[in-house]
Amino acid sequence: MPARRTVLLTGAAGGLGTLMRGLLPAYGYELRLLDMLPVAGEPDAITADLGDRAALREAVRGVDAIIHLAGISLEASFGKILAANIEGTYNLYETAREEGVGRIVFASSNHAVGFTPRPRGEAPFGPGELIPVDTPRRPDTFYGLSKCFGEDLAQLYWDKHGLETVSVRIGSCFEEPTSVRMLSVWMSPADGARLFHAALSAEGVGHTVVNGSSANTRLWWDLTSARALGYEPQDDSEPYAAKLIAEQGELDPDNPDHDHLGGHFTTNPPIWPY
Ligand code: NAI
Ligand code: 15L
């Protein structure tokens, strides 16, 4: 099966959306953009909320696949999370089903399993120490809970309607890691594009959940299911380690913020500003 070509990118005005707008066209994708906010420099982008089913239908019509990044990306009240991440993701899936879209790449998060203890001891961690992708759900926030919902919605739409999804539990996808924890979960933007491309182009994914990180020396979780899609990470956070550890110190096992995959989301999560 050839790589799918026309892709709706929701959340295109956001941080990850902006990075992917720059990187994914090189893989041959033509991107259709959607966000509730205007997308700078993109006059053709669709400005619509995930609650607007009519606008979603127009946006989805004729695309080969969707990368679903739109939503609240931090902690918020349950009501806000319900509208944007739970009802919004349902609206997108239902519209995709109605329009016959074959595949969605869903931006899940490490915070779906954020209360999972991190591996202890010296990195690099071996296969028996890495957090597996089928680790029990342990959301650390209403935000993480909404990502659990999204993954289960994806499973339902595969089992019931044959709509395929790759749910990518993204670690931290930013230009550079900015904390000692991020050294273990960082996904470089270039590796993010590699993983999204693999998720769009692998055959027969059904509903597959993958952990999304670079090939970090200090990696905490297992990338086997991502690699099975054809993902070959090229980057490693290690060049950033000495500076971050000098500034912030090593992770402290007695500090609950340092003790879990989800880091400070387990105790004092950053709050969505709108
Ligand atoms: P972001 O907050 O920068 O971007 C999210 C975008 O979604 C924003 O442009 C916002 O306007 C849009 N949006 C929010 N609610 C909407 C709605 N109701 N209708 C339409 N658009 C709406 O977040 P970022 O970092 O770009 O993340 C993108 C996605 O990836 C999010 O779903 C996030 O949960 C997920 N993710 C990101 C990680 C990262 O390291 N950047 C890590 C794990 C998951
Ligand atoms: C996420 O899910 C957030 O959307 C992102 O802003 C980061 O905080 C990331 O997780 C992380 O855990 O570093």
Side-chain angles (χ1 to χ4, degrees):
M1 192 196 304
R4 287 163 174 75
R5 307 301 292 179
T6 306
V7 174
L8 174 66
L9 182 71
T10 76
L16 192 48
T18 300
L19 291 168
M20 292 304 123
R21 278 192 280 129
L23 291 165
L24 285 174
Y27 289 86
Y29 299 108
E30 189 175 320
L31 299 180
R32 191 180 291 178
L33 310 177
L34 180 143
D35 202 289
M36 68 177 186
L37 300 176
V39 184
E42 299 282 359
D44 294 336
I46 300 158
T47 304
D49 191 278
L50 291 168
D52 183 346
R53 284 284 290 275
L56 284 187
R57 191 147 193 160
E58 286 298 308
V60 158
R61 185 161 294 149
V63 301
D64 299 305
I66 300 169
I67 299 177
H68 181 39
L69 305 181
I72 292 175
S73 60
L74 303 171
E75 182 59 317
S77 69
F78 186 73
K80 289 182 185 177
I81 293 282
L82 179 64
N85 291 17
I86 296 181
E87 292 178 348
T89 301
Y90 161 75
N91 286 339
L92 186 75
Y93 268 78
E94 189 56 10
T95 308
R97 182 193 66 76
E98 289 167 355
E99 290 294 325
V101 177
R103 188 171 299 187
I104 295 178
V105 179
F106 171 58
S108 185
S109 172
N110 70 86
H111 299 292
V113 291
F115 265 113
T116 308
R118 68 174 172 94
R120 289 283 186 82
E122 287 294 308
F125 299 104
E129 299 170 290
L130 294 170
I131 298 168
V133 79
D134 62 355
T135 194
R137 299 272 183 67
R138 299 184 74 169
D140 55 26
T141 41
F142 293 136
Y143 164 66
L145 184 65
S146 75
K147 298 300 186 182
C148 296
F149 170 84
E151 292 183 8
D152 283 350
L153 187 75
Q155 187 67 47
L156 174 67
Y157 274 69
W158 164 241
D159 287 333
K160 202 158 194 169
H161 304 299
L163 199 175
E164 292 191 308
T165 294
V166 177
S167 292
V168 183
R169 285 183 186 158
I170 303 168
S172 303
C173 190
F174 301 99
E175 288 285 3
E176 294 185 3
T178 56
S179 70
V180 176
R181 166 184 166 270
M182 272 196 205
L183 295 170
S184 296
V185 296
W186 183 61
M187 181 160 68
S188 71
D191 279 342
R194 287 183 188 101
L195 181 49
F196 285 138
H197 173 55
L200 288 168
S201 56
E203 292 193 39
V205 300
H207 175 225
T208 300
V209 183
V210 305
N211 293 326
S213 286
S214 288
N216 302 316
T217 299
R218 296 163 194 258
L219 192 68
W220 282 347
W221 57 7
D222 182 41
L223 301 182
T224 301
S225 66
R227 290 181 187 275
L229 300 176
Y231 171 56
E232 291 181 16
Q234 304 293 309
D235 296 319
D236 183 342
S237 61
E238 204 54 21
Y240 301 97
K243 179 169 180 283
L244 285 169
I245 291 167
E247 288 167 358
Q248 300 174 13
E250 294 276 5
L251 294 177
D252 173 2
D254 294 326
N255 181 341
D257 281 1
H258 296 181
D259 205 26
H260 297 101
L261 178 65
H264 61 296
F265 278 59
T266 62
T267 55
N268 188 23
I271 304 298
W272 181 249
Y274 310 119

